[in-house]
Amino acid sequence: MSMLARGMHLRAAARRCASNATLRLARNQPTLVKGTPRLASVRYLSATSARSIWIPNREKLSEEDPRQMEQFVDETDVVIVGGGPSGLAAAIRLKQLANEKDQELRVMVIEKAGQVGDHILSGAVIEPRALNELIPDWKERGAPLNTPVVKDKMQFLTSTMAIPLPHPPQMNNKGNYIVSLNNFIKWLGEQAEELGVEIYPGFGASEVRYNEDGSVAGVNLNDVGLDKNFEPKDTYERGMGINAKVTLFAEGCHGSLTKTVVNKFDLRKDSGPQKYGIGLKEVWEVDPAKHQPGTVIHSIGWPVDIHTYGGSFLYHFEPERNLVAVGYVVGLDYSNPYLSPYKEFQRFKHHPSVKSVLEGGKCISYGARALNEGGYQSIPKLVFPGGALIGCTAGFLNVPKIKGTHTAMKSGMLAAEAAYEKLFNEQGEPVELESPVELNNYEENIKNSWVYDELYAVRNCQPSFHGPLGLFGGVAYSGFSTLISKGKEPWTFKHKKADWEALVPAKDAKPIDYPKPDGVISFDLLTNVARTGTNHAENQPVHLRLRNKDVPVERNLGVFDGPENRFCPAGVYEYVDDEANPGEKRLQINSQNCIHCKTCDIKDPSQNIDWTVPEGGGGPQYVWT
């Protein structure tokens, strides 16, 4: 059965069981394993005080309301939220271990994209270390790693020049491959299915289920068929529940459920704030005469100033199609509210060294995604009663390497091994659980792995760019740390504050005059958004929730001159005239444009925006990203 067909089968089963299920869940109480009650409302937590923002609250609805229908609850051994590198690697490793012992182990992967891989975006150059461990015969199995790196360059850009720089050892790409990560993930999903993993694309996990003792019991999928006012349409279906012995959150950077778990269990108590960047990417078909398969070029410097953390990549891959991936990453701790990461990216492409490659070519794809940049200092406690955080939702990106796929996959594999040890004894027989699973062995596995060694060795590189000398101080210190001390300094720099705290008031910032796009090398925002394939049903609840509807105008517009329409890379936010109040403005949210990058939830200086999952299957449909 195909992944999509199985997803449709699951939804149909939920409909059938909702009408005649014998398992009746009590209302107004937390969702519990073995038929115990469910949470009446969900809280999406951020850095500000928590507010209940998911509506409707079911206890206030009449018995006849369709939203009060029975909830179908399925049972599994392990549920994994997110079908990216870490989630699929964890699922594969779990089934490998169970199959080796000829044991039954049900593993479910819940993925909000309509198809596995649709929401995946990265540079991407893959270091195959984790893949070699997980699937040693990946070449024979047809993994889409078709372009080995043959040439590496690092440059410092001025507005007109590209000055060669010594290549940092951490950025050596010998033995690595330039890939489309979303194509790789599609292939990885096929490998998981062959092993018996159940993958359900098109379903958004919207709520964490808890046991009576407070431990995580699984997840609830979001209701579908609600209109923009949360009223049921004719197509309404209540989201099903999934109870699991182990729940692994693999949502990627800044996961919506991960936020709630981090806050509930205070997982950041002993770590620094996570740091983020926004990565923007286009894929071009270029003139065959200009295509250099296997060439990797990175740059720092222009167009951002020395106190803004940023850099570029340009990768030549897929020689049969003459593809070039070009992208720009801006650290989200920038201070100027007038900075637009998207427009910096468009300006960057006009650099002579980049424009000369793209001229005569055609842009075929665009996308953007937030990424973790905090490194070692920002990794939270990884485990909680009933589950763990894996991959980029925990923050395992190696920033100097500009790579996180290999570390994400390895973390998923280590979590899988830890979970298997808890679910089966040394003889390979199932363990009768008398209390929630605690995966403390996963944290130990991470500390004893090459993931920990990698991140610890480069822990001081990213923070070093935020001193008085900015870029130049960071380059000098990172050179010392990677070439001389090898990361063995007896100190660890701390991240000073969260990214949302970094903006200065507009009155203290200088407006930035960006050139207009020419429609050939650079493009207006909506032209590129059209290349993402993004689609959301218009008449559904807006999944970008404001905690306080007055804050955008009173504070964000009044103090920071409305940064939302500049930091969003998809044109979701804009301040328009308020027809109800002539002479005033209001924030309009074009949620159908959302490409699920999570930047708004991270960078909003008032922490007033909560990104939540829309109806499953909505969002971008990336190609070659």
Side-chain angles (χ1 to χ4, degrees), residues 112-433:
K112 63 184 174 65
Q115 292 290 331
V116 171
D118 278 0
H119 290 180
I120 298 293
L121 179 139
S122 185
V125 175
I126 281 187
E127 180 177 316
R129 185 173 185 177
L131 180 60
N132 290 337
E133 296 178 13
L134 183 65
I135 308 175
D137 60 342
W138 56 265
K139 289 184 179 180
E140 291 77 12
R141 289 177 171 270
L145 278 66
N146 304 319
T147 311
V149 177
V150 297
K151 187 178 181 180
D152 243 342
K153 294 169 67 176
M154 184 71 188
Q155 300 173 335
F156 175 80
L157 300 186
T158 68
S159 59
T160 58
M161 298 174 62
I163 303 169
L165 291 176
H167 209 272
Q170 284 286 337
M171 297 181 70
N172 186 341
N173 282 301
K174 183 178 180 181
N176 296 339
Y177 294 81
I178 307 171
V179 303
S180 158
L181 190 62
N182 75 322
N183 284 347
F184 172 70
I185 291 304
K186 290 175 183 177
W187 173 85
L188 202 61
E190 293 170 357
Q191 309 311 301
E193 282 201 303
E194 287 182 11
L195 289 168
V197 175
E198 300 175 33
I199 303 178
Y200 298 102
F203 292 88
S206 63
E207 181 181 1
V208 181
R209 296 168 64 85
Y210 295 101
N211 291 303
E212 284 182 325
D213 60 7
S215 60
V216 169
V219 294
N220 284 331
L221 308 185
N222 61 349
D223 292 5
V224 297
L226 292 171
D227 67 17
K228 62 183 179 181
N229 297 315
F230 293 88
E231 294 295 325
K233 298 183 287 189
D234 292 341
T235 56
Y236 175 76
E237 297 171 7
R238 182 169 177 178
M240 67 178 288
I242 301 172
N243 285 335
K245 299 170 184 174
V246 175
T247 303
L248 300 179
F249 292 96
E251 298 177 284
C253 176
H254 206 68
S256 54
L257 294 189
T258 298
K259 287 193 303 175
T260 71
V261 170
V262 167
N263 280 274
K264 177 177 175 61
F265 295 103
D266 199 13
L267 300 182
R268 288 208 169 276
K269 179 177 63 174
D270 299 317
S271 71
Q274 184 57 266
K275 308 293 287 182
Y276 300 94
I278 175 66
L280 306 106
K281 175 182 178 177
E282 292 172 357
V283 180
W284 286 63
E285 291 178 342
V286 302
D287 182 344
K290 299 178 180 180
H291 197 249
Q292 304 176 47
T295 296
V296 168
I297 303 172
H298 293 108
S299 78
I300 55 175
W302 186 88
V304 297
D305 63 37
I306 66 168
H307 294 291
T308 302
Y309 192 69
S312 77
F313 61 87
L314 194 148
Y315 305 149
H316 295 246
F317 69 120
E318 295 293 333
E320 293 183 359
R321 297 201 52 166
N322 302 304
L323 298 183
V324 167
V326 58
Y328 202 79
V329 179
V330 177
L332 287 177
D333 53 4
Y334 63 83
S335 61
N336 189 338
Y338 292 108
L339 187 147
S340 165
Y342 178 81
K343 291 182 178 179
E344 294 292 353
F345 174 39
Q346 297 307 304
R347 178 159 63 172
F348 156 76
K349 291 186 295 174
H350 283 274
H351 191 277
S353 67
V354 181
K355 184 179 179 181
S356 61
V357 176
L358 303 181
E359 282 180 320
K362 176 185 178 182
C363 180
I364 64 170
S365 189
Y366 163 76
R369 184 69 169 94
L371 53 116
N372 306 110
E373 291 188 341
Y376 169 81
Q377 297 92 317
S378 298
I379 296 174
K381 181 175 175 60
L382 299 173
V383 301
F384 46 83
L389 310 178
I390 63 176
C392 289
T393 212
F396 290 114
L397 180 78
N398 184 324
V399 177
K401 271 191 176 183
I402 322 179
K403 292 177 184 62
T405 301
H406 66 303
T407 48
M409 290 180 64
K410 182 62 175 178
S411 72
M413 294 157 61
L414 293 174
E417 291 166 0
Y420 188 83
E421 288 177 7
K422 296 291 185 176
L423 298 177
F424 295 89
N425 61 27
E426 294 181 358
Q427 289 72 42
E429 299 167 341
V431 173
E432 192 69 33
L433 298 175

